[in-house]
Amino acid sequence: MQLFHPKPRYKPYTHAAGGWGSAQSVMAILWREQALQRAPLALMRQNKPKGFACVGCAWAKPGDPHALEFCENGAKATAWELTALRTGPDFFAQHTLTELRTWTDYALEQHGRLTHPLRYDASTDRYVETSWQQAYQAIGSHLRQRIPDEVVFYASGRASLEASFMYQLLARAYGTNNLPDSSNMCHESTSVGLQESIGVPVGTVTLADFEHTDCVFFFGQNVGSNSPRMLHPLQEVRKRKVPIITFNPLRERGLERFVNPQSPREMLGPESTVISTQYHQVAIGGDTAAVIGITRHLLEMDRLATAQGLPAILDHAFIGEHTQGFAAFVAEVERHDWADLERKSGLNRSAMEAAATVYARSQRVMVVYGMGMTQHRHGVENVQMLVNLLLLRGNIGRPGAGICPVRGHSNVQGQRTVGITEDPAKVPVDKIEQLFGFTVPPRKGTSTVDACAGVLDGSIKAFIGLGGNFLRAVPDTPRMEAAWTQLDLHVQVATKLNRTHLVPGKHTWLLPCLGRIELDSQDGVVQTYSTEDSTGCVHGWKGTSAPAGEHLRSEVAIIAGLAEATLGGRTRIPWDAWRRDYARVRQAISEVYPEIFHDMETRMWAPGGFHRPLPAAQRQWKTESGKAQFIRPRSLEEDSDVAVGAQRRDVLQLMTIRSNDQFNTTVYGYDDRFRGVKGTRSVVFLNPNDVTRLGLVAGDWVRLRTAVEPEVRREVGPFQIIAYDIPSGCAAAYYPECNALVPLWHHAERSKVPAAKSVPITLHR
Ligand SMILES: Nc1nc2c(c(=O)[nH]1)N[C@H]1C(S)=C(S)[C@@H](COP(=O)(O)OP(=O)(O)OC[C@H]3O[C@@H](n4cnc5c(=O)[nH]c(N)nc54)[C@H](O)[C@@H]3O)O[C@H]1N2
Ligand SMILES: Nc1nc2c(c(=O)[nH]1)N[C@H]1C(S)=C(S)[C@@H](COP(=O)(O)OP(=O)(O)OC[C@H]3O[C@@H](n4cnc5c(=O)[nH]c(N)nc54)[C@H](O)[C@@H]3O)O[C@H]1N2
Ligand SMILES: [Mo]
């Protein structure tokens, strides 16, 4: 087993995103996964009406799809799921968990799809085959003896609306709101921030808005790797000469130039589309300062225009009628002088002014953003600053304008919509109680960070995972793994083997499920599914390929099985009838959430799906004040964790990022094509001046150490230094390898999203 890749090769990548590099990369993975037979047919059906929704990202699926509506990374995700390789009972007979824990993340998943329900046998340190009935009965009787709040029901954001709705009912009927999901590590800063600012927890932009926008701001999202299908609307936007203004510490290739790999003309010709018209390499965590700078300039331009009798720059009518908090916001903005803003944003005043100038002359501006905003101590405030910027010129609630968080997992937004949340105040408790005949527990449950804290302090004693790779995705991974073995019960529902499955509790079960691409037939009847994408659009879909094994069960069936074994007849939920006919689950969803899901059974098949109602997009503000809120930023004082860096010159700000060859903790390979890295993930990107200043040279091997809470040693490495175009004082390295560096308490205020994009570190030989 190859554990370490000693010879990284770094060569700057000079091509556009997409193009031949993308086509080659897809072929390579189809070949390696022995998926050439099954995958091409499946790819034709990806993101199509009557086909399946991509298992990759949550980007919107158009009503009039391209002939091949998938991207390089969506194709990789498909190949990964449709692989011909299998990890069955014979595999587990050969390998103990102790041995498997020495394997890489890549090697574990690369071994193929799980095929049988498994139970961990401590006496041999192996997983052994079991039956579904045994698994359900054992888990059910264990749960019946527990205090419900000792149990966590985690969901990674892939499961369908049907499975997710059933999962949250299972947890609540059992007696707990402990329903953390991957969103807690991702866009929860969005859900908290947007709810408070504009009264909806989700973005207001839909695909149609891309046709009308006349300016796009892009903050902290790596479109080329993480939502490549979005490059198509962006390319269209650029054809209309619409400016795109990007803020990102790295010059990400997909944000610079793009060649559509599905266009023969572009593939053969010399042309590529320039994506960003302005590219600002903001310092990590410097965005709030940058937006304050932009606002300062807008205020100055506005005053000047008024003095000269010209039309105002700000939309004062909108601000007066629709917003609250403007004066306090302006007062805060004016407290900061340019020198301060330049230092904190890492940008020159002229750069902030240039962005403001384009903003001021545009009529329909949208702001797109991702993890570069949400995964900070001030993640909520970052999001709210973007809203502040939009509100200044009435850029919410008009076609072509609005806020556009790019969600991660393909149904992470939908899971929240149908009740996967630790906060019972966010679910229609009355309806659930009335329809299903049980009492929703009133006590708030655990978020992901709380669940981790509970495992560490022993108050959480059982963990059920509906997908995901919890122990790799969360902060402080070594501490979490050590505590994990104290769990009484550990259950995972999964498609592929991962590190989390290798850390057993006292009783451990690994249950293999169908993937999204696979045909799901219950008692001979083919079932259909639904998901909600990043733009609040709900689609129907169904799996098409033959299942990876005859023993696999659907997530819906597994949840129904666990629920019956755990709850017996304690509720009026007809678990088995739901399993036999998912349309009945949808019927229940539409009864619990009629405003969003009425007539879902027909509407979800409309080309492009249907949109959930978004009051903010109609300028109805469901906030406490009934207005859109300007939120005064409070964080320009140094972050208390990060402040260390201001005093010590050897401390750098680390962001943990994704390569172009991974989906979260799933590592497809060791190349990060766009960033020019080949054959390794053990690298750290540093500014050349920092490298010299710290007495190092490019190519040196260093260990990274967290620079706060020194009494706890958090260290990873050795990683090889790549001198890179990144602002000085900043560093980048890959997630999940660096999760050991993120302290559990180092998370966003209020949303509790781990601050994975700003970890103070030092380097050590
Ligand atoms: N192929 C592929 N697709 C994916 C995923 C995947 O792993 N692989 N993951 C899925 C999931 S769950 C999610 S959440 C999304 C994640 O997609 P992204 O939101 O793009 O997340 P990251 O790759 O972590 O990169 C964040 C970007 O923010 C920048 N950044 C970091 N810190 C800052 C900052 O302080 N300010 C600014 N302005 N920028 C900053 C980084 O340079 C990087 O370009 O993608 C989804 N899609
Ligand atoms: N340091 C750092 N940490 C981070 C981040 C970061 O940027 N930096 N990003 C955070 C973000 S945005 C997210 S969303 C989380 C992701 O956290 P998770 O969602 O927990 O992790 P994934 O890596 O997406 O989970 C992959 C596993 O899901 C299982 N799986 C795949 N498909 C299916 C399916 O259809 N059904 C089931 N039941 N299982 C399936 C497979 O077994 C696979 O091994 O990580 C977070 N952690
Ligand atoms: Mo995510």
Side-chain angles (χ1 to χ4, degrees), residues 182-183 185-187 371 375 407-409 412 658 664:
S182 61
S183 182
M185 296 180 261
C186 185
H187 266 293
M371 295 298 100
Q375 294 178 334
R407 299 271 170 172
H409 271 301
V412 65
R658 293 160 166 79
N664 298 340

Side-chain angles (χ1 to χ4, degrees), residues 59-104:
W59 184 241
K61 287 103 196 144
D64 53 342
H66 297 77
L68 299 171
E69 185 62 37
F70 63 87
C71 67
E72 168 184 345
N73 285 332
K76 284 186 199 166
T78 299
W80 200 249
E81 190 169 303
L82 285 187
T83 176
L85 308 174
R86 298 288 178 268
T87 305
D90 50 333
F91 170 86
F92 291 103
Q94 286 162 24
H95 305 284
T96 62
L97 263 53
T98 307
E99 183 212 327
L100 289 172
R101 282 195 293 271
T102 65
W103 289 30
T104 60

Side-chain angles (χ1 to χ4, degrees), residues 55 81 109 114 154-159 182-183 185-187 371 375 408-409 465-470 472-474 493-498 501 513-516 555 656-658 663-666 735-736 738-739 742 756-757:
V55 290
E81 190 169 303
E109 288 207 30
L114 295 164
Y154 173 73
S156 160
R158 279 204 191 192
S182 61
S183 182
M185 296 180 261
C186 185
H187 266 293
M371 295 298 100
Q375 294 178 334
H409 271 301
L466 184 65
N469 187 358
F470 194 80
R472 285 301 265 160
V474 297
V493 178
T495 51
K496 289 216 175 169
L497 188 64
N498 66 42
H501 309 150
C513 65
L514 289 175
R516 177 174 297 181
E555 291 177 324
T656 58
I657 54 174
R658 293 160 166 79
F663 191 94
N664 298 340
T665 69
T666 295
Y735 141 69
C738 288
N739 284 39
V742 188
K757 297 291 186 269

Side-chain angles (χ1 to χ4, degrees), residues 2 72 171 178 181 188 203 210 216 259 339 346 365 381 453 480 557 631 718:
Q2 195 173 16
E72 168 184 345
N178 287 349
D181 79 348
E188 190 61 15
F210 282 80
V216 181
V259 167
V365 182
E381 187 178 291
M480 286 305 303
I631 307 283

Side-chain angles (χ1 to χ4, degrees), residues 42 164 168 285 293 621 677 695:
S164 305
Q168 58 92 23
W621 316 106
V677 182

